[in-house]
Amino acid sequence: MKIKAIFFFLFSLFSISLCSSQEKENNTQFPPTTGYINDFENIYTPEEIKELTEIISLFEKETGNEIVVATIDNISNYDSFEKYTIDLSSYWGIGKPDKNNGLSIILSKKLRRVRINTSIGTQEIINDDFCQQLINKHGIPNYKEGNFFIGTKLMLLAIIEAWR
């Protein structure tokens, strides 16, 4: 009987903790999107933002696929960078609703994290393994050297090449 009581107590405690965490996340105020490039950490120069914007804009005009790049310096009251980036991408509504053709590259210089999120329609072509390979090949090596523009641009160009 004691074992059941202890199990019930631990289960209840876990459930309350989980609900509390989800409630905190649901109260997050996400920043509004500013366009294709959302540089909240101010790591890109105006010229770099212009170049990345032109690359993404041209690709969207050719294919209808939507890409957004964001730099963030915190994950608000979230416990997980991954969950925050997924919820942020969803909040911004990246991709056309009828096609689910959106992709986001979200990085944080301060948190030393990067993630590529894909919508359901995009995952058939740009899967998680491919995204991780791009991060490992282009993102991390360049970001470690402080070359955020180069790392982002190389990942972006590889995504576009694969997604055409």
Side-chain angles (χ1 to χ4, degrees):
M1 190 65 161
K2 282 185 178 182
I3 292 175
K4 283 184 180 179
I6 291 171
F7 177 74
F8 180 75
F9 173 75
L10 290 175
F11 180 76
S12 298
L13 189 62
F14 174 75
S15 297
I16 290 169
S17 173
L18 183 61
C19 289
S20 174
S21 175
Q22 288 174 342
E23 186 176 303
K24 284 191 320 185
E25 291 173 359
N26 290 338
N27 291 328
T28 298
Q29 294 292 326
F30 292 111
T33 182
T34 59
Y36 294 116
I37 310 300
N38 301 269
D39 187 17
F40 300 115
E41 279 191 300
N42 298 309
I43 62 174
Y44 302 121
T45 67
E47 294 79 19
E48 292 169 343
I49 291 172
K50 183 179 179 197
E51 185 174 339
L52 293 173
T53 298
E54 288 173 357
I55 291 168
I56 295 170
S57 176
L58 180 61
F59 176 68
E60 184 177 355
K61 286 177 186 169
E62 288 176 9
T63 65
N65 297 332
E66 296 181 11
I67 300 174
V68 171
V69 174
T71 66
I72 59 172
D73 63 359
N74 70 76
I75 57 171
S76 189
N77 51 3
Y78 277 70
D79 297 326
S80 162
F81 182 84
E82 289 75 17
K83 177 78 169 120
Y84 179 85
T85 64
I86 291 167
D87 288 356
L88 177 63
S89 298
S90 178
Y91 176 79
W92 283 347
I94 302 166
K96 310 244 182 321
D98 59 328
K99 294 185 178 181
N100 280 317
N101 61 340
L103 181 142
S104 64
I105 301 172
I106 302 178
L107 65 116
S108 175
K109 177 181 178 181
K110 180 180 177 183
L111 302 174
R112 300 175 54 116
R113 302 293 309 267
V114 60
R115 179 169 171 85
I116 300 172
N117 294 309
T118 57
S119 60
I120 293 171
T122 306
Q123 291 173 359
E124 296 171 12
I125 300 165
I126 310 293
N127 62 36
D128 289 343
D129 289 337
F130 179 76
C131 293
Q132 192 58 55
Q133 288 172 11
L134 293 181
I135 290 169
N136 292 340
K137 181 177 180 181
H138 300 299
I140 292 172
N142 282 292
Y143 296 164
K144 280 183 177 179
E145 298 295 321
N147 298 322
F148 293 95
F149 170 71
I150 297 297
T152 302
K153 181 179 175 182
L154 290 174
M155 287 193 300
L156 185 58
L157 292 174
I159 288 166
I160 288 171
E161 183 179 322
W163 205 2
R164 278 204 161 116

